[in-house]
């Protein structure tokens, strides 16, 4: 078993430490997770995940977002397999690219066109370039603490990043209209675009949905300044509203960045945009050796078709609500207050008086032993593969989690 010195996970970590700097990089480094969490996984199926030591988990991270229909969804796998038999990496895109762009334009009301990349960072970074090309201006507004990718203009770490990389980035506070207006004023006529997350989903913090006033102010400021409103829907995309997370607010972005769940785990990102930025988008030079991978595009078409046919958003909302209600009831039973914030499809569970995260870590470590994979500090994800039985198992594991968390001392900020 993982955590013991003779486990396959431990031995892989030891081998990785020799040939991979730090053993593992970025957000998937299991060193940041509670005791007992595996680093290495063997396989996934539906709502389940198996680590290299054969432990089975009900998965509430969904590969940190990409898995929206469940691991290895049969219709997506079939579409990918059919394309694999024909070829994945060719001298240009396959028919699937046109089909996928048509599908996105059909599904996303704000979209007149689509363009494709591999990772969410490609999409957000290219959207910024399009905004600058279209406006011939430089300043980009970004919310303090928001994640938009792992390249110098937006990386959460400043290690290896220069002041010049951030020279034209101005920060504002999410949902704070005054601070947004101040940032626009600071850009003083050089505003290319405002980047907004679909909702506030910063690491380790309570989640907040955008207020209508904030969303409308962002739109109005972009209209007034002739700048681009860029919604980063990379994480929330297709889980809140199939047509885009800000559709519910009635606020249409000029550009939207998508990735994560768009192809149920196959590597794909997209920008959708309106006609105002069509010309700018075709004027910039953007590309990547693997951006036209036919397999991912075929998987994307299958994923979006299944989500639309089966009302994926409705399913994830119902089961997410069931999980939230169950956790709330357990929190009352155990007299241990928690905060559950943001949309139920993307649960964030934080304990009160837990500045050192010991309660959250103890909760997750105990649930993991019961075969349920939660995260103590990052938002989690529901998928269409989750069943009421999975939620029951999750709540049973959470009961053990609350008992373990109760044993931890209170830690105030
Ligand atoms: C994950 C994420 C990105 C970056 O996507 P990658 O595929 O990891 O490059 C950008 N924005 C948000 C909101 C994300 O969650």
């Amino acid at each position: 078993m993982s955590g013991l010195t003779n486990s396959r996970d431990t031995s892989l970590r030891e081998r990785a430490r020799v040939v991979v700097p730090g053993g593992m990089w970025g957000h998937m480094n299991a060193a940041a997770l509670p005791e007992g969490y595996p680093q290495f996984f063997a396989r996934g199926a539906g709502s389940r995940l198996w680590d290299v030591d054969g432990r089975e988990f009900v998965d509430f991270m969904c590969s940190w977002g990409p898995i929206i229909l469940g691991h290895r969804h049969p219709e997506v796998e079939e579409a990918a397999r059919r394309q694999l038999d024909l070829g994945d990496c060719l001298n240009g895109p396959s028919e699937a690219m046109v089909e996928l762009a048509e599908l996105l334009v059909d599904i996303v009301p704000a979209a007149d066109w689509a363009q494709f990349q591999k990772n969410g960072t490609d999409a957000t970074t290219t959207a910024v370039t399009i905004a600058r090309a279209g406006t011939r201006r430089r300043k980009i507004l970004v919310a303090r603490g928001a994640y938009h990718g792992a390249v110098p203009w937006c990386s959460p770490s400043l290690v290896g990043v220069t002041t010049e990389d951030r020279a034209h980035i101005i920060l504002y506070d999410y949902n704070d209209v005054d601070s947004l207006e101040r940032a626009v004023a600071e850009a003083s006529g050089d505003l290319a675009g405002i980047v907004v997350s679909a909702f506030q989903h910063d690491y380790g913090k309570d989640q907040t949905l955008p207020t209508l006033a904030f969303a409308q102010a962002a739109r109005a400021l972009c209209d007034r300044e002739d700048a681009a409103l860029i919604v980063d829907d990379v994480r929330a995309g297709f889980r809140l509203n199939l047509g885009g997370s800000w559709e519910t607010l009635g606020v249409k972005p000029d550009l939207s960045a998508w990735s994560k769940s768009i192809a149920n785990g196959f590597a794909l990102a997209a920008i959708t945009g309106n006609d105002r930025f069509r010309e700018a988008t075709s004027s910039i030079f953007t590309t990547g050796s693997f951006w036209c991978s036919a397999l991912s595009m075929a998987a994307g078409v299958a994923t979006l078709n299944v989500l639309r046919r089966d009302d994926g958003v409705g399913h994830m909302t119902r089961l997410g609500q069931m999980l939230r209600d169950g956790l709330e009831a357990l929190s009352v039973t155990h007299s241990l207050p928690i905060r559950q914030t943001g949309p139920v499809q993307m649960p964030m569970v934080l304990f009160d008086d837990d500045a050192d995260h010991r309660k959250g870590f103890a909760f997750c470590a105990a649930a993991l032993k019961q075969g349920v994979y939660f995260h103590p500090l990052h938002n989690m994800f529901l998928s269409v593969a989750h069943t009421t039985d999975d939620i029951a198992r999750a709540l049973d594991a959470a009961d053990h989690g609350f008992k373990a968390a109760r044993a931890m001392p209170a830690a105030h900020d």
Side-chain angles (χ1 to χ4, degrees), residues 19-329:
V19 288
V20 178
M24 183 60 205
W25 63 93
H27 69 294
M28 288 185 184
N29 190 336
L33 287 166
E35 182 68 31
Y37 270 67
Q39 177 70 79
F40 294 95
F41 293 88
R43 67 191 179 95
S47 61
R48 305 301 167 95
L49 202 57
W50 287 262
D51 71 10
V52 290
D53 290 297
R55 293 189 298 176
E56 179 182 335
F57 305 108
V58 183
D59 178 19
F60 285 96
M61 276 312 277
C62 295
S63 311
W64 300 73
I67 301 300
I68 192 166
L69 296 174
H71 294 278
R72 293 193 288 128
H73 186 274
E75 284 170 82
V76 180
E77 299 292 304
E78 177 53 29
R81 203 172 303 118
R82 243 182 289 126
Q83 188 59 55
L84 188 62
D85 286 342
L86 298 171
D88 176 27
C89 192
L90 306 166
N91 282 7
S94 73
E95 271 186 51
M97 183 187 84
V98 181
E99 208 185 327
L100 183 59
E102 285 170 346
L103 191 53
L104 279 168
V105 167
D106 190 29
I107 286 176
V108 178
D112 294 323
W113 52 261
Q115 191 194 58
F116 301 99
Q117 305 81 22
K118 275 287 94 155
N119 269 97
T121 306
D122 303 330
T124 55
T125 304
T126 307
V128 163
T129 306
I130 292 169
R132 285 175 170 153
T135 59
R136 297 178 190 279
R137 303 207 205 104
R138 296 177 296 177
K139 304 294 180 193
I140 297 291
L141 272 44
V142 175
R144 205 168 270 107
Y147 187 72
H148 299 298
V151 284
W153 76 268
C154 59
S155 164
S157 165
L158 290 174
V159 178
V161 172
T162 68
T163 313
E164 288 79 4
D165 289 322
R166 302 281 173 104
H168 299 295
I169 302 295
I170 300 174
L171 299 178
Y172 66 91
D173 293 315
Y174 199 87
N175 263 346
D176 182 338
V177 174
D178 289 344
S179 115
L180 191 61
E181 282 172 352
R182 276 197 303 277
V184 169
E186 198 184 322
S188 66
D190 197 15
L191 183 68
I194 301 179
V195 183
V196 284
S197 305
F199 65 95
Q200 198 179 20
H201 44 46
D202 304 349
Y203 186 79
K205 300 221 182 89
D206 293 320
Q207 303 189 119
T208 328
L209 289 166
T211 64
L212 186 60
F214 172 73
Q216 288 177 341
R219 182 65 272 173
L221 286 165
C222 284
D223 290 340
R224 192 189 78 196
E225 300 288 319
D226 216 10
L229 178 62
I230 305 168
V231 169
D232 181 352
D233 229 336
V234 169
R235 192 181 310 181
F238 311 114
R239 274 192 167 85
L240 270 54
N241 184 320
L242 208 54
S245 296
W246 278 31
E247 260 310 293
T248 322
L249 296 162
V251 174
K252 295 215 174 352
D254 296 298
L255 302 165
S256 297
W258 312 83
S259 185
K260 294 209 162 83
S261 71
I262 190 169
N264 199 48
F266 288 92
L268 185 66
I271 297 172
T272 57
N274 58 21
D275 279 332
R276 213 183 122 208
F277 286 90
R278 185 187 287 268
E279 177 71 29
T281 304
S282 57
S283 77
I284 65 163
F285 184 78
T286 183
T287 191
S289 295
F290 301 107
W291 286 14
C292 287
S293 154
L295 199 148
S296 292
M297 307 251 182
V301 170
T303 301
L304 295 179
N305 277 328
V306 173
L307 278 172
R308 179 153 70 168
R309 183 195 69 202
D310 296 350
D311 183 23
V313 172
H315 178 89
M316 290 181 281
T317 308
R318 277 189 297 281
L319 292 208
Q321 189 65 53
M322 209 175 283
L323 179 65
R324 180 163 297 187
D325 293 345
L327 289 174
E328 183 53 34

